[in-house]
Structures are given as C-alpha cells and as structure tokens.
Amino acid sequence: QGMSGSPIIQDGKLVGAVSGKDIADAIKNQYKIDIDKKKINLSDPIKTAGQHKVEIRIYTGVITSVIVNIMI
C-alpha cells in the first residue's frame, strides 16, 4: 500500500518529501497501529525512491527499525 499525503509523483519523480507524519499515517492505515510521529527518527524527510531504514523509538531505550519502501 502506498502513502497518502504531501508527497506526489510528477514525471516519474518524487515531488515533495515523505515525513514522519506520512510514515505514521501509513503504519496506521496498513497495520492499525498508532505511532506518534515524534517517535519516528528521521534526520531529514525522505526525498528519493527506494528502501529506507527508519528508526522508531517505542519507549525510552527501546528502538526498532522498519524499512520504508518508496515506490514511484
């Protein structure tokens, strides 16, 4: 399933960026799990297609990683 929100595809390229909010929304839509966007560790919004490893801070000292696949 794709993400909805600010990023769009124009002429085969990603226009805009995928933010922590976009990732949290996609997790909620696909898996029915609420993740606070502030817990998603992105140094910068994702601006390229492909697979991106993203860390999520579940609790203090508990961190997991997910792979976000941005397809164009």
Side-chain angles (χ1 to χ4, degrees):
Q1 297 229 17
M3 294 183 188
S4 60
S6 58
I8 59 169
I9 299 167
Q10 184 175 32
D11 298 326
K13 296 182 182 178
L14 187 65
V15 177
V18 176
S19 67
K21 180 183 182 321
D22 295 318
I23 295 169
D25 289 346
I27 291 170
K28 182 172 182 163
N29 289 336
Q30 288 182 278
Y31 303 106
K32 310 298 184 229
I33 299 171
D34 285 320
I35 303 281
D36 184 345
K37 67 181 181 180
K38 295 175 188 172
K39 304 260 182 193
I40 297 173
N41 187 18
L42 284 179
S43 55
D44 292 305
I46 299 170
K47 297 180 181 181
T48 58
Q51 294 185 340
H52 302 270
K53 185 176 180 180
V54 176
E55 288 186 348
I56 300 174
R57 294 180 313 276
I58 306 296
Y59 301 105
T60 302
V62 179
I63 299 172
T64 191
S65 296
V66 296
I67 301 295
V68 176
N69 191 19
I70 307 297
M71 299 185 318
I72 295 182

